[in-house]
Amino acid sequence: MNAVELHNLSKTYPGGKQAVRDVSLSLEPGEVFGFLGPNGAGKTTTVKLLNGMLTPTEGTCRVLGADPAREPEKVHAVSGVVTEHARMYDNLTGMQNLIFYAELFGLPADEAAGRAEALLREMELEEAKDRKLAAWSTGMRQRLSLARALIHGPKILFLDEPTSGLDPESAQNVNRMIREMARNSGITVFLCTHQLRYAQEICTRYGLIEEGQLLASGTLDELRAETFSRITLQIRAGSMPPGMGFRRTGALEYETSIRSEEEIPEIVRRIAAAGGDIYKVEAKQPDLEEIYFALTAPGRERLQ
Ligand SMILES: Nc1ncnc2c1ncn2[C@@H]1O[C@H](COP(=O)(O)OP(=O)(O)OP(=O)(O)O)[C@@H](O)[C@H]1O
Ligand SMILES: [Mg+2]
């Protein structure tokens, strides 16, 4: 069974804004899926549809086989959600907040306390756990929000901009925790983010959405193949014999574009045979950021 499934999913808000247009995709268990797209693309709307906070206008979605619109309690039992702004109880301590949510999910009191303790430790919130949330910083709240989403041992985690509003250090902390959890627990992660470098570090697959439409989905290699047909070959050489087809990009730097890495050995042999001294050879594949800009509107405009 797929962890998450969207079939021709569309959502038009009252008032007429069509935020999601005919999106189909599926996630296998254990995937860390990066859902990327500019502001207003429809990412949050999709997460809300997957959590039963909104109902589709057309099409369907499923979370581990359950329909969030019809069986929200089944979906909530197997999933956790972290939204941009963590809302919890300011007049309760960190520990009390977690126990409250654990008991909502029906965990017995001693198990709730045990899980809360363990998660507070994992999220490095042990010191603050008995202080009321009113005194917590945004970064601490965001980490607690992640702990809350994990309190009932979900199989799927929806993360909508989990580091929004955090300073670089807190963002890095939250990112590290998500990465460790994704690697160690086998949980399926559906991550909406604008942090493309970070997404490239942790995601196994991506979907790019713009104006409600899914532009592309796949692994980094699949997206590369779809967007860029060529690889940049960079060579550092004492001298470059003429006629090799390289342009000079720095004092000892030369660059050309090739179709596949298989061309490299022959190119290196030809340069060496013609008397060029090679210090370094690097084939540069486009990264997620380049792919994103090639596929989304700002990038398409820039290329025109
Ligand atoms: N409750 C609502 N009523 C009407 N329109 C809405 C509502 N919520 C969102 N929209 C509109 O739907 C579109 C998609 O919004 P959504 O919040 O899903 O985008 P997003 O990809 O999450 O953007 P961001 O990266 O800024 O978080 C936007 O045009 C937005 O203005
Ligand atoms: Mg959003």
Side-chain angles (χ1 to χ4, degrees), residues 38-45 84 160-161 192 194:
N39 290 133
K43 303 179 297 295
T44 298
T45 305
E84 267 179 83
D160 190 1
E161 289 292 338
C192 304
H194 293 289

Side-chain angles (χ1 to χ4, degrees), residues 43-119:
K43 303 179 297 295
T44 298
T45 305
T46 305
V47 168
K48 286 182 175 170
L49 288 164
L50 286 166
N51 285 285
M53 290 156 76
L54 291 172
T55 50
T57 314
E58 278 171 73
T60 54
C61 55
R62 295 277 185 279
V63 174
L64 282 173
D67 179 345
R70 297 211 177 118
E71 323 162 277
E73 66 295 338
K74 274 196 187 168
V75 172
H76 298 153
V78 293
S79 60
V81 192
V82 176
T83 55
E84 267 179 83
H85 305 289
R87 273 196 215 104
M88 280 175 278
Y89 296 100
D90 265 7
N91 56 338
L92 298 183
T93 67
M95 185 71 183
Q96 287 167 340
N97 263 286
L98 287 189
I99 290 178
F100 172 79
Y101 286 103
E103 290 181 348
L104 271 190
F105 280 109
L107 264 71
D110 54 341
E111 201 185 326
R115 274 198 71 80
E117 286 275 3
L119 282 165

Side-chain angles (χ1 to χ4, degrees), residues 52-252:
M53 290 156 76
L54 291 172
T55 50
T57 314
E58 278 171 73
T60 54
C61 55
R62 295 277 185 279
V63 174
L64 282 173
D67 179 345
R70 297 211 177 118
E71 323 162 277
E73 66 295 338
K74 274 196 187 168
V75 172
H76 298 153
V78 293
S79 60
V81 192
V82 176
T83 55
E84 267 179 83
H85 305 289
R87 273 196 215 104
M88 280 175 278
Y89 296 100
D90 265 7
N91 56 338
L92 298 183
T93 67
M95 185 71 183
Q96 287 167 340
N97 263 286
L98 287 189
I99 290 178
F100 172 79
Y101 286 103
E103 290 181 348
L104 271 190
F105 280 109
L107 264 71
D110 54 341
E111 201 185 326
R115 274 198 71 80
E117 286 275 3
L119 282 165
L120 286 161
R121 212 168 28 244
E122 253 175 68
M123 300 299 158
E124 295 171 8
L125 291 169
E126 232 175 354
E127 270 177 43
K129 71 177 181 183
D130 295 322
R131 264 187 271 148
K132 288 192 176 171
L133 241 57
W136 285 33
S137 73
T138 316
M140 290 160 73
R141 283 162 187 266
Q142 207 59 355
R143 271 150 41 212
L144 188 67
S145 175
L146 196 54
R148 182 192 68 172
L150 292 165
I151 194 76
H152 56 308
K155 296 194 166 71
I156 302 178
L157 198 56
F158 294 98
L159 303 172
D160 190 1
E161 289 292 338
T163 54
S164 140
L166 301 189
D167 67 35
E169 197 189 335
S170 310
Q172 221 171 41
N173 262 337
V174 169
N175 282 342
R176 181 173 48 78
M177 282 161 191
I178 295 169
R179 177 169 49 220
E180 281 168 14
M181 187 199 53
R183 283 192 186 148
N184 304 333
S185 68
I187 197 167
T188 308
V189 180
F190 189 102
L191 168 71
C192 304
T193 184
H194 293 289
Q195 293 181 285
L196 301 175
R197 284 212 189 112
Y198 169 66
Q200 186 173 336
E201 270 177 45
I202 74 158
C203 296
T204 51
R205 220 156 57 86
Y206 308 89
L208 262 76
I209 184 171
E210 186 176 44
E211 291 184 4
Q213 281 174 306
L214 192 68
L215 301 174
S217 67
T219 62
L220 192 59
D221 280 341
E222 285 164 352
L223 293 177
R224 273 180 184 139
E226 212 172 293
T227 358
F228 291 90
S229 54
R230 302 187 77 90
I231 301 168
T232 303
L233 180 65
Q234 295 172 324
I235 286 188
R236 174 181 260 270
S239 64
M240 178 64 74
M244 295 290 158
F246 277 79
R247 62 190 164 272
R248 193 166 180 169
T249 56
L252 304 173

Side-chain angles (χ1 to χ4, degrees), residues 19-41:
V20 175
R21 298 166 189 243
D22 199 23
V23 171
S24 296
L25 61 89
S26 58
L27 268 67
E28 282 176 24
E31 277 194 304
V32 180
F33 185 75
F35 201 42
L36 318 171
N39 290 133

